[in-house]
Amino acid sequence: MAAELFPAKKLATVAPSAVQQIQQQNVSNNNTIQGCNWQGLYPSIRERNAVMFNNEQMADIHFVVGPPGGTQRVPGHKYVLAVGSSVFHAMFYGELAEDKDEIRIPDVEPASFLAMLKYIYCDEIDLCADTVLATLYAAKKYIVPHLARACVNFLETSLSARNACVLLSQSCLFEEPDLTQRCWEVIDAQAELALRSEGFCDIDAQTLESILRRETLNAKEMVVLEAALSWAEAECLRQELQPTIENKRLVLGKNIYLIRIPAMALDDFANGVAQSGVLTLNETNDIFLWYTAAKKPELKFVCKPRKGLTPQRCHRFQSCAYRSNQWRYRGRCDSIQFAVDKRVFIAGFGLYGSSCGSAEYQAKIELKRQGSVTLGVAIIKYFSDGSSNTFPVFFEHPVQIEPDTFYTASVVLDGNELSYFGQEGMTEVQCGKVTFQFQCSSDSTNGTGVQGGQIPELIFYA
């Protein structure tokens, strides 16, 4: 799996320094043990087993790992391997065990096979982005469940819109329902980012179909069509076909009818899809009639818009108020910090408006992680009708928020100086299955804090 699909990070499992020294010694000694009493150097069986990892000394089996042209010969010790894996136990000591000195494993990458052996020998998990999927495959093949679980945890931690579609495909292949559900959460909430990611073009046809069928996909249908055509172009190249519009339609097959073209705005259809050549003349004509005629023709396409996701709102104030000399902005920043106990996607904020009649506001909204890393910025105009209602403003794309980390929500407002403001703020708010915690932000220069002020609502998907 390409390294760019995942952030460059490693699972936080720290090996004891003794084991690290053993491994360095193995390398420096060309994987042989020097001295006749090396066992006395290491007090625990774990450290003594670690000496044997990838070591020719006392090896009674060898593996030739990797596809032709990229193999690596790896030494092993049957007893240690059998203790760590029921598959190895059956291979070496079962009723059908074969007496071989060398075993070929062409379907596992050498680096991932060594990562699995490192866990079996050293009780150490060492994962990285570019090998974790192959290591999960090895752990599944040889039934090493704790390593497999660590791989899935790593993937869930690395999950984002740019790799969610690829991981969805892999999670179904590996039969990991929890990872599958996490992938769908990201794809639904950040659908347009996921569909425009490079990884989307690498998914298999079955995964493509499941995404196109998705009722809760939070995306414009034009984006869905563009993504499907990009996938079709990549599929043409995989099948050694010229990426003509006819061949794209050919590789899409019946999946074309899962794109809800009749649910698009008429302008999008007339100025985009109808002129793209992706539809036949009869289909184009029938869809125009479906838009305009009293008696609508039957279409193969799904005609109803997707339901998308229903946004939730976290209200952090118990009441609001206004006074004749408050709330004034003068270009200053209102901010609040928050954290959640599970992954959510912040779509935008609910903001107050004028307390003295209708008015138009311009809002610069911003979301940062731990007060420094900017995750989302938008400049939006909204209209306040003079009531104490909140008015929603949205980021271009929902922003993924990880649990147990503080984020800063900020707004700079330009408009009627006198507006409503919140009172009786809460430090903790339960919204469905999500708990929000709030604390004051040092970025707030206009008086907003936990107890009162602006940014009364966080709008999110969970």
Side-chain angles (χ1 to χ4, degrees):
M1 182 55 59
E4 63 268 15
L5 292 179
F6 305 99
K9 59 192 282 189
K10 289 199 174 186
L11 195 67
T13 302
V14 181
S17 58
V19 175
Q20 293 173 346
Q21 292 170 5
I22 291 164
Q23 292 162 355
Q24 292 170 1
Q25 178 179 313
N26 287 347
V27 173
S28 64
N29 292 332
N30 295 320
N31 284 343
T32 60
I33 302 169
Q34 305 297 320
C36 59
N37 188 28
W38 62 268
Q39 294 90 341
L41 299 175
Y42 311 111
S44 71
I45 186 65
R46 177 174 179 269
E47 292 169 307
R48 292 193 290 275
N49 266 349
V51 175
M52 294 293 103
F53 168 60
N54 198 22
N55 198 316
E56 290 287 350
Q57 186 75 19
M58 294 187 288
D60 51 2
I61 190 69
H62 286 82
F63 302 93
V64 179
V65 187
T71 60
Q72 182 174 337
R73 196 167 188 267
V74 179
H77 307 80
K78 292 181 179 180
Y79 168 74
V80 178
L81 294 168
V83 169
S85 160
S86 60
V87 174
F88 283 132
H89 183 272
M91 189 183 296
F92 303 138
Y93 301 107
E95 294 181 1
L96 301 178
E98 297 183 27
D99 188 17
K100 290 183 178 180
D101 295 329
E102 189 174 274
I103 297 174
R104 295 186 176 274
I105 308 176
D107 59 332
V108 177
E109 294 293 332
S112 298
F113 189 78
L114 286 168
M116 180 180 69
L117 262 56
K118 189 174 186 179
Y119 171 74
I120 292 174
Y121 278 80
C122 308
D123 197 25
E124 181 181 341
I125 297 173
D126 188 10
L127 301 175
C128 62
D130 54 351
T131 60
V132 62
L133 280 172
T135 303
L136 176 59
Y137 174 78
K140 289 276 189 176
K141 177 176 181 176
Y142 292 98
I143 311 180
V144 187
H146 297 293
L147 178 60
R149 185 67 249 168
C151 291
V152 171
N153 289 341
F154 183 96
L155 291 170
E156 289 181 354
T157 302
S158 304
L159 184 59
S160 68
R162 63 194 177 98
N163 61 28
C165 294
V166 170
L167 288 185
L168 175 68
S169 176
Q170 297 296 325
S171 67
C172 295
L173 176 66
F174 292 132
E175 297 181 339
E176 288 289 344
D178 290 344
L179 179 57
T180 299
Q181 177 59 32
R182 298 291 186 276
C183 290
W184 277 126
E185 290 173 4
V186 174
I187 293 169
D188 281 343
Q190 296 182 306
E192 295 191 358
L193 291 175
L195 293 173
R196 286 171 170 155
S197 67
E198 291 184 14
F200 180 80
C201 294
D202 296 329
I203 63 177
D204 58 275
Q206 186 175 355
T207 303
L208 173 71
E209 180 181 347
S210 66
I211 292 174
L212 295 181
R213 287 187 181 277
R214 190 75 173 169
E215 188 69 30
T216 47
L217 212 58
N218 196 32
K220 299 181 183 70
E221 211 60 34
M222 195 67 189
V223 176
V224 178
L225 174 63
E226 290 168 355
L229 292 176
S230 295
W231 179 90
E233 181 173 348
E235 183 65 11
C236 284
L237 297 177
R238 286 190 286 267
Q239 296 187 23
E240 298 183 349
L241 298 171
Q242 288 295 319
T244 62
I245 196 67
E246 292 79 15
N247 285 337
K248 290 180 185 180
R249 180 73 186 254
L250 176 66
V251 298
L252 280 172
K254 293 183 179 179
N255 284 334
I256 190 70
Y257 299 116
L258 300 177
I259 303 169
R260 305 187 182 194
I261 294 174
M264 294 179 180
L266 178 57
D267 284 350
D268 288 340
F269 175 74
N271 297 318
V273 185
Q275 300 181 46
S276 68
V278 72
L279 302 178
T280 66
L281 288 175
N282 284 339
E283 287 169 343
T284 302
N285 182 65
D286 285 348
I287 293 175
F288 265 123
L289 290 175
W290 192 91
Y291 277 112
T292 58
K295 185 179 180 181
K296 300 184 184 300
E298 290 188 7
L299 300 176
K300 291 183 179 180
F301 293 90
V302 179
C303 298
K304 292 183 179 179
R306 299 177 197 272
K307 292 180 180 177
L309 294 175
T310 301
Q312 301 180 53
R313 297 193 178 206
C314 174
H315 308 266
R316 68 186 193 92
F317 296 128
Q318 298 181 70
S319 65
C320 69
Y322 71 91
R323 299 192 184 101
S324 60
N325 61 345
Q326 287 183 323
W327 190 277
R328 298 182 183 276
Y329 302 115
R330 297 173 183 171
R332 291 176 294 203
C333 180
D334 289 291
S335 296
I336 191 70
Q337 284 194 330
F338 69 95
V340 291
D341 62 347
K342 64 169 291 187
R343 175 186 285 137
V344 299
F345 301 87
I346 297 294
F349 308 151
L351 302 177
Y352 290 127
S354 170
S355 59
C356 50
S358 60
E360 185 178 71
Y361 285 85
Q362 178 173 282
K364 179 184 178 182
I365 59 173
E366 190 170 11
L367 199 57
K368 295 181 180 179
R369 183 175 62 244
Q370 295 177 332
S372 58
V373 181
T374 300
L375 303 177
V377 178
I379 298 176
I380 301 162
K381 290 183 178 181
Y382 70 96
F383 182 77
S384 163
D385 61 8
S387 71
S388 60
N389 296 332
T390 56
F391 303 93
V393 293
F394 294 99
F395 294 103
E396 182 180 3
H397 302 290
V399 178
Q400 182 170 309
I401 300 297
E402 297 297 336
D404 306 320
T405 300
F406 270 97
Y407 295 79
T408 302
S410 301
V411 61
V412 177
L413 284 163
D414 181 18
N416 194 320
E417 285 286 290
L418 296 178
S419 79
Y420 289 90
F421 58 91
Q423 296 184 133
E424 300 178 281
M426 296 172 283
T427 58
E428 184 173 296
V429 180
Q430 186 75 30
C431 293
K433 296 180 180 180
V434 184
T435 301
F436 285 79
Q437 290 185 332
F438 294 97
Q439 67 181 28
C440 293
S441 167
S442 59
D443 290 350
S444 191
T445 58
N446 198 41
T448 289
V450 173
Q451 296 301 318
Q454 300 298 320
I455 316 179
E457 292 177 338
L458 298 179
I459 305 172
F460 68 99
Y461 302 116

